[in-house]
Amino acid sequence: MLAPRHRMFLDQPFPDSRRLRTARALYALALLLMPACMIATPWGLTPAACLTLVAVLLAPDRIWAARKAAGWPVLMMTGVVVTVACVVSFSVLVHHDSWDEAGSRGRVLLIPLASLMVLGLAPPRAALWGGAVLGLLGAAVVAILQIRQHLPRADGWTNAITFADAAAMLLALVVFLRPSGRFAITALAACAGVVAIGLSGTRGAWPAAAMVVIMALFVRATSGRGHRLEAWALAVLALLSIALVLPQVQQRVEALRVDLMRYAAGDPDSSSGARLQLLDLATEALIADPWTGVGVGRFERVLETAPQCRVPAPDDWCRLRHAHSDFPEWGATMGIPGLVALLALYGVPAWLFARQLLVQPFPRRSRSAALAGLAVVVVFVLCGLSQSMWAHQLTGSSFVVLVGVLLGFSLREDPHKA
């Protein structure tokens, strides 16, 4: 919760300047296009990035002035991202590597900028929610068309895992950031998200999607009788959505069972077996180099020295370039400092969002930016248990933008306004 002197900046009317209002309109359009184009189009985050850059160039003074309203939450987040950047840079310097991989992790420095842009330009929160609705509806259409074209798994214009992980983040936005009185379209978009995730066949995204639904049901069920009816309706619609994709889900569950049986029999050359094998190798690498790791983004060095990958005909998983899980990846490549940095990168924003929730009265708390931000962090962590989220530009950049934007929106929210 911001101090009164910090809220004075937010409570002032937006300046009557054509330059600033143009910047505000462009940034609002960027917030709409970011989730809308993320996985439903081949353009990804590019349109939103271009519009955001123009908005920054038009209103740097207004964005800089927003630091007065940011307060200690944005300052704390700035400290975290600077620490992460320092850990990444230290790894590059120690191992004499290129800065390419450092840049993919160094984008976390954009989190405070995203917060300041929301605080300074005051874009409508509905733009981000509307974009997420369009994104999930579009993703469901893409997934259905791809399955009808006999693709084994829907993947949009990326890969199936990234497609599902991004859909899970959009699901969190749609459910928890909705404006008042938009339950019908929220439920429709949420069902579309469940369908898209199911048709992708990505098992790692299922716990994240389930957690979003469970959080939504709990929040709505504890917010009064009318909201309890919405919770029941959401539960029924979620079950119907799962029923639509049940054949694909059953196929992936059966594949998981077969993979585990093969691994138990000593054959790790499968999707699930490879992940278990990579986890073992990452643990060994962390024990061997606990303080420096093998170098940020250089997990292939672990594979190159693994006995299983030095045979004439190595298994397919030996060609992977990451650990398929965030914490093992950061531990193996950057050692204990990398693990601490990743814990801070997830833990601090989660704590900031949770703290904001404590001052949000119901029913506002059930559809607040703070709850949406907390859900995004939880989704990202759960998806990162079976995928290296930071190895893919789409998921890593989405996390950075959404955490910064939602932190800004949560600071703008009036805790006494229901």
Side-chain angles (χ1 to χ4, degrees):
M1 185 176 178
L2 293 177
R5 63 186 179 88
H6 291 145
R7 289 216 65 89
M8 289 178 61
F9 177 88
L10 303 179
D11 293 337
Q12 294 174 357
F14 194 78
D16 188 15
S17 163
R18 178 176 297 180
R19 174 178 61 87
L20 294 181
R21 291 191 177 277
T22 300
R24 182 184 188 181
L26 290 174
Y27 190 52
L29 182 57
L31 292 183
L32 174 71
L33 293 180
M34 191 274 283
C37 297
M38 186 187 299
I39 53 176
T41 73
W43 308 311
L45 303 177
T46 302
C50 294
L51 290 171
T52 300
L53 178 60
V54 176
V56 171
L57 295 176
L58 282 174
D61 52 337
R62 178 69 180 179
I63 296 170
W64 176 246
R67 74 191 188 282
K68 303 173 184 177
W72 65 266
V74 175
L75 184 61
M76 177 179 286
M77 200 66 237
T78 302
V80 170
V81 299
V82 169
T83 300
V84 172
C86 288
V87 171
V88 172
S89 300
F90 175 77
S91 177
V92 172
L93 295 174
V94 167
H95 294 281
H96 305 287
D97 290 326
S98 68
W99 290 94
D100 295 341
E101 292 294 336
S104 65
R105 277 74 174 175
R107 67 171 66 101
V108 298
L109 292 170
L110 296 176
I111 292 178
L113 175 61
S115 298
L116 291 179
M117 291 190 69
V118 171
L119 291 171
L121 299 180
R125 199 181 77 166
L128 185 63
W129 176 81
V133 169
L134 294 175
L136 284 184
L137 294 176
V141 171
V142 170
I144 292 171
L145 291 176
Q146 289 186 328
I147 294 301
R148 287 178 63 87
Q149 293 173 355
H150 306 292
L151 269 68
R153 299 170 63 182
D155 57 9
W157 287 269
T158 176
N159 62 71
I161 298 176
T162 301
F163 180 82
D165 293 342
M169 286 192 282
L170 295 183
L171 182 63
L173 291 181
V174 164
V175 171
F176 297 118
L177 203 63
R178 73 178 182 90
S180 178
R182 297 291 188 272
F183 178 76
I185 187 64
T186 298
L188 177 62
C191 292
V194 172
V195 169
I197 293 170
L199 294 180
S200 74
T202 303
R203 296 180 294 247
W206 296 350
M211 181 58 67
V212 171
V213 174
I214 291 171
M215 288 174 64
L217 293 177
F218 174 79
V219 171
R220 305 308 288 176
T222 56
S223 303
R225 183 174 180 275
H227 292 160
R228 283 195 292 270
L229 294 176
E230 291 183 358
W232 280 108
L234 182 61
V236 171
L237 291 172
L239 291 175
L240 291 175
S241 302
I242 294 173
L244 289 175
V245 297
L246 191 58
Q248 285 76 17
V249 171
Q250 289 176 330
Q251 291 176 7
R252 297 299 292 162
V253 171
E254 177 61 20
L256 175 62
R257 187 185 68 83
V258 173
D259 288 353
L260 294 178
M261 290 179 61
R262 289 174 59 185
Y263 187 80
D267 179 11
D269 196 15
S270 64
S271 175
S272 302
R275 283 176 168 81
L276 295 173
Q277 197 71 30
L278 292 171
L279 177 60
D280 290 339
L281 293 175
T283 303
E284 293 173 4
L286 176 60
I287 294 173
D289 295 295
W291 297 110
T292 60
V294 298
V296 57
R298 302 298 179 184
F299 189 77
E300 68 270 14
R301 291 172 179 166
V302 176
L303 300 176
E304 291 170 357
T305 59
Q308 304 93 321
C309 299
R310 301 178 68 182
V311 295
D315 293 335
D316 289 340
W317 57 266
C318 289
R319 292 194 290 268
L320 297 173
R321 296 176 57 85
H322 50 78
H324 257 291
S325 184
D326 278 335
F327 281 100
E329 170 89 14
W330 284 53
T333 57
M334 290 179 280
I336 294 175
L339 288 176
V340 174
L342 190 60
L343 282 171
L345 187 58
Y346 293 157
V348 170
W351 178 76
L352 290 174
F353 288 130
R355 186 180 181 278
Q356 285 293 109
L357 284 174
L358 296 179
V359 298
Q360 294 287 346
F362 283 111
R364 183 70 173 181
R365 189 190 306 172
S366 64
R367 47 185 177 83
S368 68
L371 184 55
L374 179 60
V376 166
V377 174
V378 171
V379 164
F380 200 84
V381 171
L382 290 176
C383 290
L385 296 177
S386 59
Q387 169 71 319
S388 293
M389 304 290 280
W390 295 98
H392 300 276
Q393 182 178 354
L394 182 67
T395 47
S397 298
S398 298
F399 176 82
V400 166
V401 173
L402 291 179
V403 166
V405 167
L406 292 172
L407 180 60
F409 276 129
S410 71
L411 294 175
R412 287 196 65 89
E413 289 177 341
D414 185 348
H416 303 293
K417 181 181 178 181

